[in-house]
């Protein structure tokens, strides 16, 4: 057995981002494994760390090595291949190895198992009757009651004994010790999908779906492992393709991970998979209890399930024989982590699949420009689904110019066309979805006299007005009452720019008092079961109109929805982000795709102040390729991803001076390094203020670097990390890195 261990200490500081060698004491040599969390002496303290390597020989002077102090018994070990993946993530996304290790471990600690206990008679009936007589003579009422019940029925549930019969646990244990009864203990997994009932699966794939399945599976049988991009129009049945591939993997003895972008998608997605795979399916997400999450981790590790469904963190499910990773709605920005290491689930899934001889399938009606660019270059294999299931037509899509509405006297959130169509749907008993990319009542509160906007005192953002009469910062949570007069000029003409979900709900309820209305946004889905309750209520036709933010337009399938209204298409278009047009096109196309998925045709109304913008024109036409050609031309001109690659360096500090000084040093260091060590052109911009320059009293400065070669930026990141640690500002400034950012810092 190994006598020495390399350990990453459980402290996320760059200066400690290396392995430390320890001696394994004899009493632990049979128990220590790679990935295990252990106690180690570190200076004058005892801390924890993760074992990342075992060896028979010491790399350092054996006399100077200290012993591992013990094993952390309530922690969950990290699978050895996930340690390698953590190393890859640390190299490609920055941060420390300890931060990467914690990221690939979705379950951090063990939870006590739920036991199902039964009480069984351990004596022969004749002996039991004699014992019953003895209890009765001694007036042992509780023991006699239990024994009498067990003579009638040989085995009873523990809860029945303790509650209905009123026999305490201490009495049962005493009878067990004396050999009168036996307690049968069985571990019972907390199963988040146990309430579902399988309705069976009888769908047959159409020709396009079958061709997509055959393409992937033919490669798999030949030993080819690749990344596939399924570009299928909304309603084309991508999920059926996924399930057919998983069924084939299951027969081959391999497991699958299905990533979805939103917890809100879990309910409908799991129901469809459960109908086909039953109890071999489970879910993993942050809304589950720690006990539920831990039990799904164990079920996956023990081979008791074949399919894990969940958002980004489900990627690290510890399957022993993973064969397929599916990323549905692969264009979604939620697949990019906003905490260090800022990994992208798509690239990380491809890296994990390469380590495990697995395949990756990406799916979307509106693929990310990055993925489609790679598919066009042959890095991914492109598969297309051009028709909706059962040849259903795409919804008719119309654009309303809100400038014209205003000129003609309509100041309502609802255009006259959308208002009329909603009334028609209500009379016909059909359903409507209204989408806006914002929550709250107002985008911001401003003075009509002087233009002053009420901002958060801790963050460089405006406060949003809510219906409870308060304004809230959606970055740090700061709240204050809505003012009755302007704090800058004293004017009473201060109010909100009203464009939020709460405001829309109020308008709709007033305009259609007979309608049953549901609202779905971050404010109405804070509870564990809120997503499922709202979506199931709408699916069961308990509401006529569903109002919501992005979460209502991503992948849901409601056959009775025949009208979708996009109330403010411009909200995601005019922001300081080079991906703004892409996001707008994707949101509009996905929203439109919710209409007409049943037997009745659908209709979509897009309300906008900029109807001539190419993202809106191509979304109206449901023409992805036309949008892509215009967008990629813009990216080529501006040298933006995916044509070029981008590295963003963030310097954040409570001291603006320290953040400025560190950013200036790192920019100079990066510029000097690229001048000496790279032959290709590298563009450097900054330092500049972040898009939101201050959040929660933390100042943020940004450096942008662009290069055609991704590996060039990785080298710059590595060199800059070293330089940052040597800076005198290092203790007061946090330095973070992000490649090809999705949301920015």
């Amino acid at each position: 057995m190994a006598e020495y261990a390399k350990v990453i200490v459980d402290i996320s500081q760059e200066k400690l981002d290396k392995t430390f060698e320890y001696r394994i004491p004899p009493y632990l040599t049979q128990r220590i494994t790679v990935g295990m969390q252990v106690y180690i002496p570190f200076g004058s303290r005892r801390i924890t760390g993760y074992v990342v390597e075992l060896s028979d020989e010491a790399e350092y002077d054996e006399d100077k090595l200290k012993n591992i102090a013990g094993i952390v018994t309530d922690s969950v070990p990290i699978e050895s291949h996930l340690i390698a993946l953590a190393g890859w993530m640390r190299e490609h996304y920055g941060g420390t190895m300890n931060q990467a290790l914690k990221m690939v471990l979705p379950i951090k600690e063990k939870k006590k198992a739920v036991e199902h206990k039964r009480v069984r008679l351990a004596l022969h009936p004749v002996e039991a009757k004699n014992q019953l007589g003895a209890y009765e003579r001694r007036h042992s009422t509780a023991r006699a009651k239990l024994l009498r019940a067990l003579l009638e029925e040989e085995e009873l549930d523990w809860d029945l004994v303790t509650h209905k019969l009123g026999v305490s646990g201490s009495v049962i244990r005493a009878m067990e010790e004396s050999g009168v009864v036996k307690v049968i203990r069985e571990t019972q997994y907390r199963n988040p999908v146990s309430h579902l009932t399988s309705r069976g699966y009888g769908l047959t794939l159409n020709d396009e779906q079958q061709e997509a399945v055959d393409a992937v599976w033919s490669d798999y049988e030949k030993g080819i492992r690749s990344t596939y991009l399924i570009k299928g129009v909304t309603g084309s049945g991508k999920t059926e393709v996924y399930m057919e591939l998983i069924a084939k993997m299951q027969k081959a003895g391999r497991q699958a991970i299905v990533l979805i972008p939103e917890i809100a998608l879990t309910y409908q997605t799991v129901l469809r998979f459960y109908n086909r795979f039953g109890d071999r399916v489970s879910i993993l997400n942050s809304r589950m209890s720690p006990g539920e999450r831990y039990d799904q981790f164990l079920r996956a590790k023990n081979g008791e399930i074949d399919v894990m469904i969940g958002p980004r963190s489900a990627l690290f499910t510890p399957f022993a024989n993973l064969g397929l990773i599916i990323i549905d709605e692969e264009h979604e920005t939620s697949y990019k982590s906003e905490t260090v290491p800022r990994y992208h689930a798509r690239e990380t899934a491809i890296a994990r699949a390469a380590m495990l001889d697995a395949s990756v399938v990406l799916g979307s009606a509106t693929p990310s420009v990055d993925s489609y660019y790679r598919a066009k270059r042959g890095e991914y294999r492109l598969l297309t689904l051009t028709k909706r299931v059962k040849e259903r037509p795409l919804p008719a899509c119309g654009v309303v110019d809100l400038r014209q509405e205003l000129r003609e006297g309509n100041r309502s959130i609802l255009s006259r066309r959308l208002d009329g169509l909603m009334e028609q749907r209500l009379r016909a008993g059909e359903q409507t979805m209204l989408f806006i990319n914002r929550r709250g009542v107002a985008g911001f509160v401003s003075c009509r006299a002087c233009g002053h906007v009420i901002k958060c005192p801790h963050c460089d953002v405006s406060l949003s007005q809510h219906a409870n009469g308060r304004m809230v910062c959606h970055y740090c949570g700061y709240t204050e009452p809505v003012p009755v007069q302007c704090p800058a000029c004293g004017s009473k003409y201060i109010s909100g720019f009203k464009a939020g979900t709460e405001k829309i709900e109020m308008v709709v309820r007033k305009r259609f008092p007979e309608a049953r209305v549901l609202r779905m946004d971050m404010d109405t889905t804070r509870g564990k079961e809120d997503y499922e309750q709202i979506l199931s209520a709408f699916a069961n036709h308990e509401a006529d109109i569903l109002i919501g933010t992005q979460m209502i337009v991503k992948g849901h399938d409601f056959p009775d929805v025949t009208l979708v209204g996009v109330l403010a298409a411009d909200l995601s278009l005019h922001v300081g982000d080079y991906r703004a047009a892409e996001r707008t096109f994707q949101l509009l196309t996905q929203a439109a795709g919710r209409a007409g998925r049943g037997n009745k045709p659908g209709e979509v109304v897009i309300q906008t102040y900029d109807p001539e913008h190419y993202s809106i024109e191509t979304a109206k036409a449901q023409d992805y390729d036309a949008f892509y050609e215009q967008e990629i031309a813009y990216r080529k001109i501006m040298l933006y991803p995916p044509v070029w690659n981008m590295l963003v360096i963030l310097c954040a500090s409570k001291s603006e001076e320290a953040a400025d000084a560190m950013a200036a040093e790192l920019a100079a260091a990066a510029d000097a390094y690229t001048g000496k060590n790279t032959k290709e052109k590298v563009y450097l911009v900054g330092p500049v203020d972040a898009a939101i320059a201050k959040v929660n009293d933390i100042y943020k400065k940004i450096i942008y670097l662009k290069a055609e070669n991704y590996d060039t930026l990785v080298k710059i990141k590595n060199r800059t990390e070293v330089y940052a640690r040597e800076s005198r500002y290092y203790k007061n400034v946090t330095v973070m890195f992000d490649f090809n950012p999705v949301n920015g810092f």
Side-chain angles (χ1 to χ4, degrees), residues 409 411 636:
R411 290 175 171 79
K636 286 177 180 176

Side-chain angles (χ1 to χ4, degrees), residues 197-206 209-210 213 237-245 247 271-278:
T197 302
S198 176
R199 300 173 186 170
Y201 182 85
L203 294 178
T204 302
L205 300 185
N206 62 30
Q209 292 171 322
Q210 191 62 55
V213 170
K238 293 182 288 294
T239 301
E240 280 68 42
V241 173
Y242 303 156
M243 288 195 287
E244 187 66 24
L245 287 170
L271 194 58
R272 296 172 74 178
F273 278 80
Y274 193 84
N275 284 338
R276 179 151 192 183
F277 300 108

Side-chain angles (χ1 to χ4, degrees), residues 331-358:
H331 63 277
E332 286 291 344
T333 58
S334 57
Y335 286 126
K336 182 69 182 281
S337 171
E338 295 305 304
T339 57
V340 179
R342 293 169 69 97
Y343 73 95
H344 198 297
R346 179 181 62 234
E347 315 305 331
T348 309
I350 292 170
R352 186 179 183 193
M355 295 174 183
L356 297 176
D357 194 37

Side-chain angles (χ1 to χ4, degrees), residues 239-283:
T239 301
E240 280 68 42
V241 173
Y242 303 156
M243 288 195 287
E244 187 66 24
L245 287 170
I246 291 170
K248 290 180 177 293
M249 284 290 171
Q250 193 180 41
K251 288 180 182 177
R254 305 197 74 175
Q255 298 96 32
I257 293 170
V258 181
L259 298 188
I260 53 178
E262 296 271 358
I263 296 174
L265 287 175
T266 303
Y267 169 69
Q268 278 202 334
T269 305
V270 173
L271 194 58
R272 296 172 74 178
F273 278 80
Y274 193 84
N275 284 338
R276 179 151 192 183
F277 300 108
D279 289 334
R280 303 300 293 181
V281 174
S282 192
I283 60 174

Side-chain angles (χ1 to χ4, degrees), residues 168-187:
S168 68
S170 58
V171 169
I172 299 172
R173 285 188 287 272
M175 292 176 70
E176 183 180 29
E177 289 173 7
S178 60
V180 177
V181 302
K182 183 178 181 181
V183 178
I184 310 299
R185 295 172 172 84
E186 293 178 347
T187 298

